[in-house]
Amino acid sequence: MPRVSQDHLEARRRQILDGARLCFGRFGYEGATVRRLEDATGLSRGAIFHHFRDKESLFLALAEDDAARMADVVAQQGLVQVMRDLLAGDSEHPADWLGTRLEVSRRLRTDPEFRGRWAEHSQQLTTATRKRLEWQRRSGNLRDDIGVDVLAEYLQLVLEGLVSHLAMGLPADDLEPVLDVVEDSVRRHRGD
C-alpha cells in the first residue's frame, strides 16, 4: 500500500478545515450535519473523520485554527488590526470566521463540556495581545498609566462588541473612525 506524504495529509486537513469553516459559518454547529460537511469539503465522512475524531473535534480544531491566525496578526500588527481586517473583509475568511467566532461564543455559554475543552486553547489570542502590548510599552508607544492586562481586556471587549455588531447585521461602513479612537486610546501620546 503506498504511503501518503505529510504534505498530502496537511493539504487534506486544510481542505477539511476550509470546507468546515464555510459549513459551520452558514449552518451553525447543530446545522452542520455530516452530509453538509461532506458537501462543503467535497470528501466522504470516512475521509473527514480519518483526520478528526468527531464533529466536535473538527469544530474545536477549526476554532483553534482561526485563533492561531488571529494571534499571528496580533503578534505582527495588534488586535485592532484584526478588527480592521474583519471590517474590510481583508482576512482570508472574514464572514466565515465571524460565523465560527459566534458559534464558539454560543457554545461557551451553553455547553459546559465544550467550555472545558476550549479553556485549554483560549489563551492563545490573549497571550498574543499581551505580548504585543508589552512590546509596544517597551518601545514607548503604549500608555503607561494603565496595566497591560487591563488594556488587553479592553481590546478584547471591543473585539467582542464588534463581532456582536456584525452578527446583528448592523451597518459597519462608519466603524473605521471608531477603531481609530480605540487605537489612539491605548497609545502613549508624546508629551505625556
Side-chain angles (χ1 to χ4, degrees):
M1 177 174 238
R3 293 192 62 146
V4 178
S5 74
Q6 188 61 34
D7 288 343
H8 176 78
L9 290 173
E10 288 175 19
R12 181 57 52 97
R13 187 175 194 281
R14 173 61 41 213
Q15 178 184 356
I16 294 167
L17 288 173
D18 289 345
R21 181 178 288 105
L22 293 170
C23 191
F24 286 123
R26 181 168 184 202
F27 299 108
Y29 182 81
E30 281 79 18
T33 63
V34 172
R35 179 73 192 129
R36 285 178 170 159
L37 286 167
E38 288 175 322
D39 290 344
T41 61
L43 299 170
S44 70
R45 71 185 60 216
I48 295 168
F49 296 117
H50 171 77
H51 293 271
F52 300 95
R53 184 177 65 234
D54 53 26
K55 185 170 97 168
E56 179 160 315
S57 296
L58 172 57
F59 181 76
L60 189 59
L62 176 62
E64 290 169 9
D65 187 60
D66 286 352
R69 290 175 188 214
M70 288 174 53
D72 287 344
V73 172
V74 169
Q76 297 299 313
Q77 300 172 301
L79 190 56
V80 174
Q81 186 60 47
V82 169
M83 295 180 234
R84 290 185 192 285
D85 289 350
L86 188 57
L87 278 182
D90 290 343
S91 60
E92 190 173 338
H93 303 284
D96 304 319
W97 173 84
L98 178 62
T100 304
R101 181 78 177 191
L102 291 171
E103 278 300 305
V104 166
S105 296
R106 186 191 64 74
R107 293 200 63 211
L108 287 172
R109 193 180 82 253
T110 60
D111 185 342
E113 188 175 319
F114 178 80
R115 190 179 315 122
R117 286 184 71 188
W118 180 246
E120 301 169 22
H121 307 286
S122 64
Q123 284 298 334
Q124 192 170 18
L125 184 60
T126 300
T127 299
T129 300
R130 285 187 178 128
K131 284 182 179 179
R132 175 73 181 183
L133 290 171
E134 288 165 358
W135 177 81
Q136 289 282 44
R137 178 154 291 160
R138 285 190 305 274
S139 299
N141 298 322
L142 188 72
R143 60 188 296 173
D144 57 7
D145 61 326
I146 299 174
V148 165
D149 289 344
V150 172
L151 292 173
E153 286 293 324
Y154 164 67
L155 291 173
Q156 289 178 333
L157 285 171
V158 173
L159 172 63
E160 291 302 324
L162 176 63
V163 168
S164 294
H165 183 92
L166 295 173
M168 290 185 284
L170 297 173
D173 297 341
D174 58 349
L175 294 181
E176 271 297 324
V178 174
L179 293 182
D180 291 342
V181 170
V182 171
E183 196 163 40
D184 190 56
S185 70
V186 298
R187 282 204 175 128
R188 179 172 183 242
H189 297 278
R190 302 301 171 199
D192 286 353

